[in-house]
Amino acid sequence: MAPSDPAVVPGAHHPPSPTGPAALGAVAAGGALGAVLRWALSGALPTPAGGLGWSTAVVNLSGAFLLGLLLAGLAGTAARRGGAPAWHHLARLGLGTGVLGGWTTFSTLMVEVDRALDAGRPGVAATALLVSLVGGLALAAAGTAAGRRLVPTS
């Protein structure tokens, strides 16, 4: 694990991150679920030609909040137990990398920005970028704060 990992508690025992079939299965199953959920939402909130992709904004903003919440909650759990429980890393891989990785989409955001620019709508392109990037940072911080309140480290 990288030392900058927010789920690492200094001085606590951390089992190695799982690799192999369990880790691959957690990421694959989570990613499939997240992608299917995003696809369903994009059908419910289609992006008008040259318009702002609200489904893309919803998934990216909610994903930022939920990832902050998840990582802070897992870090709090690890701190309270004096180390990460056995399920901790698989939960992070399955829910964080898998579900939320499949749920969020930077590539679709960039396609929508490109299409808005091609349609002569730079204001829509700028709005999409600002909403996702600035809003995503703010909601990631809010999710982290909420996770810390829900699962304090001590």
Side-chain angles (χ1 to χ4, degrees):
M1 274 190 287
S4 62
D5 186 335
V8 172
V9 178
H13 169 71
H14 295 283
S17 294
T19 58
L24 179 61
V27 172
L33 176 61
V36 166
L37 292 172
R38 175 169 41 93
W39 172 79
L41 182 65
S42 69
L45 292 173
T47 301
L52 187 61
W54 287 109
S55 66
T56 303
V58 167
V59 299
N60 287 340
L61 295 174
S62 64
F65 177 83
L66 292 170
L67 188 59
L69 182 71
L70 173 70
L71 293 180
L74 290 174
T77 301
R80 294 180 105 183
R81 291 177 170 237
W87 55 266
H88 188 269
H89 298 293
L90 283 176
R92 189 177 61 176
L93 287 172
L95 296 173
T97 304
V99 174
L100 295 175
W103 174 246
T104 58
T105 175
F106 189 74
S107 60
T108 300
L109 171 64
M110 292 298 99
V111 167
E112 291 172 357
V113 166
D114 184 56
R115 287 182 180 162
L117 290 171
D118 284 348
R121 304 196 65 199
V124 170
T127 299
L129 285 172
L130 284 172
V131 165
S132 282
L133 298 177
V134 175
L137 286 171
L139 285 169
T144 300
R148 288 180 178 151
R149 279 193 305 275
L150 290 171
V151 186
T153 56
S154 57

